[in-house]
Each structure stands twice: as C-alpha cells, then as structure tokens.
Amino acid sequence: MDLITPGLGLVFWSIITFLFLLIVLKKFAWKPILGAIDERENGIKNALEAADKARLEMENLKADNERILNEARAEREAMLKDAREIKNKMVSDAKEEAQEEATKMITQAQEAIENEKRSAMAELKNHVASLSIEIAEKVVREELSNKGRQLELVESMLGDAKLN
C-alpha cells in the first residue's frame, strides 16, 4: 500500500460514513439550520422594511411639520393683520367719536353763549326801560309840580286828542 493512494476499503467506508453523516445531518441538523437562516433572513428583511417605513414616516412627519409650521405662520400673520385692522378701526372710531363730541360741545357752548346773550339783551332792555320810566317819571313830576304848567300840558294834550 502506498501512502498516496488510499485503498478501496477506505474509500468505501469513507463514502458510507459520509452518506450516513449526510442522512443524520439532513434529518436532525439541516432543517433547524435552514430554519434559522430563513428566520435570520426574514428578520433582516423585516428590519429593512421597518427602517424604510420609519424613514418614510419621518419624511411624512417632516413634511407635515413643515406644512403645520407654514399654516401657523400664515395664521399668525392673518391674526396680526386682523389685530392691526381692529386697532386702526378703534383709533379711527375714537377719533371720530372725539370729533363728534367736540363738535357737540362747541355747538352746546355756542347755544349757551347765544342764550346768555339774549338773556343779557333782555335784561339790558328791561333795565333801559326801567331807567327810561324813572327819568320820564322824574321829568313829569318836575313838569307837574307847577300848577300853571299842569294846565298848559292838559290843554295841549286835549288839543292833540281833538285833532286825531
């Protein structure tokens, strides 16, 4: 026997042992190994799908956040615009109301001044009439204090009354 070439018995027993080992491995180890490999492959596939879903969800969330942020900015701008308009309207209304009140007060003051003027004029006329009556009374008394003068005045009045 030669060391380099194996004998026919050794090859036969090696093939039988290999086939026996192959049958034993196929029966007991092959299915669990393939199951573990399939399970690992499915786990990796599921993890990749979950990562893709998470990435898509993150992109959607980012887009939603951007949209919500833009809407919030637009709403804020609209609210500020409304607030400015309300402020301007309130200021203009207050100015108009103040102007109307001032006009009303001026009108009332003018009416009060006019009433006071009329009252003063009436009082002045009454005072002038009163003074005139007093002066006339004094003049008539002076005139009527003399008897001769009284007779002349009565005749002159009777003469005027006859002519009328």
Side-chain angles (χ1 to χ4, degrees), residues 60-73:
N60 289 339
L61 286 175
K62 186 177 178 184
D64 285 346
N65 285 343
E66 191 66 32
R67 181 185 52 80
I68 289 171
L69 187 61
N70 288 337
E71 287 175 0
R73 285 181 184 143

Side-chain angles (χ1 to χ4, degrees), residues 68-106:
I68 289 171
L69 187 61
N70 288 337
E71 287 175 0
R73 285 181 184 143
E75 187 174 335
R76 182 192 71 196
E77 289 300 319
M79 289 173 72
L80 287 174
K81 181 182 174 189
D82 289 345
R84 280 188 217 110
E85 289 174 0
I86 289 171
K87 178 194 80 159
N88 291 338
K89 185 176 184 323
M90 288 175 70
V91 167
S92 67
D93 288 349
K95 284 181 182 178
E96 287 176 15
E97 188 175 322
Q99 184 66 33
E100 288 174 6
E101 191 66 30
T103 303
K104 191 177 184 181
M105 289 174 70
I106 290 171

Side-chain angles (χ1 to χ4, degrees), residues 13-132:
W13 284 112
S14 291
I15 289 175
I16 297 254
T17 306
F18 179 73
L19 288 176
F20 176 72
L21 185 63
L22 192 63
I23 291 172
V24 169
L25 282 177
K26 184 177 179 191
K27 182 158 184 133
F28 294 109
W30 196 257
K31 285 185 182 177
I33 290 173
L34 286 179
I37 290 174
D38 284 342
E39 194 175 304
R40 174 91 172 138
E41 183 181 344
N42 287 336
I44 291 171
K45 189 186 290 182
N46 289 340
L48 288 174
E49 288 175 1
D52 283 342
K53 284 181 184 178
R55 183 183 53 79
L56 287 174
E57 191 173 321
M58 287 299 290
E59 288 175 3
N60 289 339
L61 286 175
K62 186 177 178 184
D64 285 346
N65 285 343
E66 191 66 32
R67 181 185 52 80
I68 289 171
L69 187 61
N70 288 337
E71 287 175 0
R73 285 181 184 143
E75 187 174 335
R76 182 192 71 196
E77 289 300 319
M79 289 173 72
L80 287 174
K81 181 182 174 189
D82 289 345
R84 280 188 217 110
E85 289 174 0
I86 289 171
K87 178 194 80 159
N88 291 338
K89 185 176 184 323
M90 288 175 70
V91 167
S92 67
D93 288 349
K95 284 181 182 178
E96 287 176 15
E97 188 175 322
Q99 184 66 33
E100 288 174 6
E101 191 66 30
T103 303
K104 191 177 184 181
M105 289 174 70
I106 290 171
T107 304
Q108 288 175 348
Q110 287 174 342
E111 288 175 2
I113 291 170
E114 191 62 35
N115 288 338
E116 288 295 320
K117 184 178 170 185
R118 283 190 206 123
S119 174
M121 289 296 283
E123 189 177 325
L124 184 62
K125 284 180 183 177
N126 288 338
H127 190 64
V128 167
S130 168
L131 284 176
S132 296

Side-chain angles (χ1 to χ4, degrees), residues 142-155:
E142 188 67 34
E143 289 287 323
L144 294 178
S145 63
N146 188 348
K147 248 329 189 184
R149 199 78 181 134
Q150 283 179 6
L151 287 174
E152 277 179 29
L153 185 61
V154 169
E155 285 179 9

